[in-house]
Each structure stands twice: as C-alpha cells, then as structure tokens.
Amino acid sequence: MPTSPRPEWTAVRAQFPAMTQDVSGHPLVYLDSAATSQKPRVVLDALAKYYERDNANVHRGIHELSRRATIAYEEARAKLASFIGAADPSELVWTRGTTEAINLVASSWGLDTLKEGDEVLLSSMEHHSNIVPWQLVAHRTGARLRYIEMDDQGRLVLDDLSELLTERTRLVAVTHISNALGTVNPVREITEHAKKVGALVLVDGAQAVPHRRVDVQELGCDFYAFSGHKMCGPTGSGALWARRELLESMPPYHGGGEMIRIVGRDSSTWAEIPHKFEAGTPNIAGAITLGVAADFLDEVGFDAIAEHEREVLAYALQRLDDLGGVTVYGPTDLDERSGVISFTMGDAHPHDISTILDSRGVAIRAGHHCAQLVMKHFGISATARASFYLYNSTDDVDRLVEGLASVQEIFGPG
Ligand code: PLP
C-alpha cells in the first residue's frame, strides 16, 4: 500500500493552480471534487484565450471572430460526443449541466409523452436533480413514480426489477454513480431489463464521466446527462446526449433565437437538432473549454485515473478502518464503488467534522448531498463526504485522517 504520492501524479497535481494554495495556514487538501472539480492550467488558459482573441457570438456572425468561435464551439461538441462514445455530434445538446439536461428530457419528452397510468422508475439513491424534475412532470401528467430500492450497503436491489418493470414503465432514470455513496450501478444490466418492456433509459452520468471511460452506445441507454464542472471544465457547462430519433421527435424545451427555422406571427418551425434545444446565446466559452478539459483527461488517460483513484480510495478506507469510530456508507467491494467516502463519526455532526477539517486546510462536504432519500434509507440526516480525484494523493488521506483524529479528541472516540 503506497505511503507517498507517485511522481507522475505529483506532476498532474501541479497543473492545478488552486491546489497549490494555503487555507487556514495549511496547504490545501481538496476532497470535494464530487461537488465540483478544480481546473487545470490548460483549461484556465483556454478560457482566457477565448475571451482575449475569439470572443463572438456563434452561428450568426459573418466575420472572422464569429467564424472562429463557431468552429471551436462545434469542434468541442464533436469532441465531447466522441468522448462519451456517441456516433453523431448532433446527438449532443449543450446544457448548463446535468440538472438542466434532465429537466430538458422531463419537460420535453416527459410532458409530451407521459400520461395517466404511465410509470417512471427511479432509484432511491438519485440526486434530487433526477427526482424533482420527474415529480414536476408526474404531477402534471398523472404519471406515477416508482423506485428501485437499495440494500444495506447502498447497492440497488435488482432482484426487484422484474416486478417493478411492467408494460406501464415508460422510462427508467438512474444514476451511473451515486454522489452520496460512491456506488457504481450496473447500468448495462438495468438497460437490458428496461428494453424488455420497451422502456427508455436515462442515465445521470454526473459522477461517472469525470472518472471513467463512458460509452453511451455500449451502455445501451437512450439519454445520458453530465456536467462539465465535475470533469475539470468550467461551471455552467455540460450536455445531454440522446438518440437522434428521440431528439428529432421531441418538442423544443426553450424558445428563442437560434432554435428556429422560420418564425411567423402565430407559430414557428424548428431548427435541426441539436440547435432546436439550444435557444439563446449559449455558454460558448464553457463548451469550448470543456473540450479542452476532455482532451486533458484523455491525455492523462482513464485507465491511469481509475487505477490511481482506486489506490487512494483503498488507502483511505484502510486508514479510516484503522482509526476506528468511523461509519462508512456504501459498498464494501472496491469494484462496486468510486472515490467517494460518505461517513459519520459517533455524535460529531458532519458540519462540525467539516468545520474542524476546514480549520486544518482540509475541504470536505457535509450534509445530505442532495440525496435525502439516501439519508432516509440509512436513518441519518447528513454525512461527511470526502471525494477524490486525479490530483489527490495518499498524503491527502493522511491529512484527512489526522484531522479526523482531532475531531475524536474533541467529540470522543465515537
Ligand atoms: N447528479 C449527480 C449524481 C450529482 O452528483 C450532481 C451534482 O452533484 C448532479 C446530478 C447535478 O449536477 P449539476 O449541479 O452540475 O447540474
């Protein structure tokens, strides 16, 4: 088991300027990447370069800067489409992130398709952004929401699928990886079951795309949503991927400029996909620099990233176990979890744990992580959550554990 970071990962970390600062008089240990990741120098430089040289609106300008911006914007779309294994760049709609991508499907496909008696199958480990949009649509259409439950390790109970999936199921919407537990769900298997009853499958990929090679065609899903800011890209960037025939059949979600073909007094016709879903001036800089982030991750390589994160995760789980008094939620098998550790420590409130760690320069998250159904399942109101990414090391784990030891000094051993 490693006790000091490998030089190649020290070099990766050095490319993230935010990671080199002191916080509360200590070198920063950033363990909140499941909330948002830090950004490498290449992404920050690309953002500055875009605004310094190429800034213009896309698609409609007949001048050099608009040409440059449009080319870079559409090249980034093609890059991100191939990054997630999509066959066709026009199947990738830019959004502000996962939340907007799921709302797009719920409002467009959901309101247009669902009716009384139809069912949408979610899971009880979903982030609120894959629950609330469906509740809003269910209230308006009369559709019913059902849930795949979890076991005591926070794994989906797939044995129930044959009972839950019926000819009334129109959509299964599940997360690829849980932000609150780190559980990696068997999406391919879920998709195969869903297809047997003719249901579509939406996957929330917010916690997956930053950490592993995703191939939407291999997964066999119909919709895939992800956020740029969790994968080294800028905030306000992200995308929805969907099968061409679905996007073509779905009505627009927002109305405005860019998404139309012809506008009349009483009605309009729509632009081709994906533009039909991209009303108004998009986050041009966000899309372009998300392309740079994808290149960066490709260059480091997902095999290497996954191996590194697993090493850090295994080391962290072992050290927490050695410390004692820490309850870790989620699967015990490393093959079934990603680099997220949700935990509680006796009577110490997660907010107090986080505050004490913060005073030592260690940034974690505390709360329900927008997953209140997960908290309810485990009979708790909140957890502390440390989440790892490619720039973290076993040294960071040591600093986390030192901080937790001081939490135990204050609150008792738990
Ligand atoms: N789904 C999951 C699993 C998440 O972890 C998050 C963010 O934490 C979201 C959805 C929402 O992502 P965003 O806020 O980028 O739209």
Side-chain angles (χ1 to χ4, degrees), residues 123-327:
S123 91
S124 55
M125 75 168 69
E126 297 311 308
H127 187 283
H128 297 164
S129 65
N130 200 22
I131 297 176
V132 181
W134 300 112
Q135 291 174 341
L136 293 172
V137 170
H139 289 153
R140 288 176 66 180
T141 59
R144 176 184 175 211
L145 304 184
R146 300 188 75 189
Y147 288 87
I148 310 172
E149 299 301 338
M150 286 180 281
D151 65 13
D152 57 2
Q153 282 193 34
R155 297 170 301 194
L156 294 182
V157 183
L158 297 189
D159 295 347
D160 294 349
L161 268 188
S162 50
E163 185 266 320
L164 288 167
L165 284 168
T166 71
E167 74 284 352
R168 288 187 297 276
T169 316
R170 304 301 307 273
L171 178 79
V172 180
V174 286
T175 191
H176 198 160
I177 296 180
S178 157
N179 66 308
L181 298 164
T183 314
V184 180
N185 287 322
V187 169
R188 171 85 222 160
E189 197 184 328
I190 293 170
T191 302
E192 277 166 11
H193 283 285
K195 294 291 149 188
K196 285 185 201 149
V197 296
L200 298 178
V201 176
L202 177 144
V203 181
D204 171 348
Q207 298 293 342
V209 179
H211 301 280
R212 52 182 55 212
R213 172 62 61 210
V214 167
D215 186 323
V216 290
Q217 297 191 78
E218 215 172 279
L219 291 175
C221 57
D222 301 285
F223 301 104
Y224 198 97
F226 62 99
S227 301
H229 68 99
K230 295 183 198 284
M231 51 177 283
C232 300
T235 50
S237 68
L240 169 73
W241 169 84
R243 294 189 187 285
R244 167 174 274 281
E245 62 275 18
L246 278 167
L247 287 178
E248 280 174 345
S249 68
M250 284 158 52
Y253 162 54
H254 288 149
E258 278 292 292
M259 50 75 71
I260 49 84
R261 192 192 304 273
I262 293 167
V263 173
R265 284 176 182 261
D266 297 318
S267 64
S268 304
T269 55
W270 316 132
E272 295 293 324
I273 66 163
H275 309 294
K276 180 171 78 171
F277 295 103
E278 294 178 357
T281 301
N283 181 359
I284 303 163
I288 293 171
T289 51
L290 181 52
V292 176
D295 278 344
F296 172 82
L297 290 171
D298 265 342
E299 219 161 282
V300 179
F302 274 108
D303 287 347
I305 293 171
E307 192 187 328
H308 172 70
E309 287 180 8
R310 189 183 167 102
E311 207 167 276
V312 175
L313 173 70
Y315 180 71
L317 289 170
Q318 185 59 55
R319 290 235 41 206
L320 292 180
D321 195 45
D322 294 344
L323 180 68
V326 180
T327 305

Side-chain angles (χ1 to χ4, degrees), residues 68-86:
R68 276 192 227 148
T70 303
I71 288 169
Y73 181 73
E74 292 302 333
E75 278 179 357
R77 189 194 305 276
K79 191 173 297 178
L80 265 294
S82 99
F83 191 72
I84 57 161

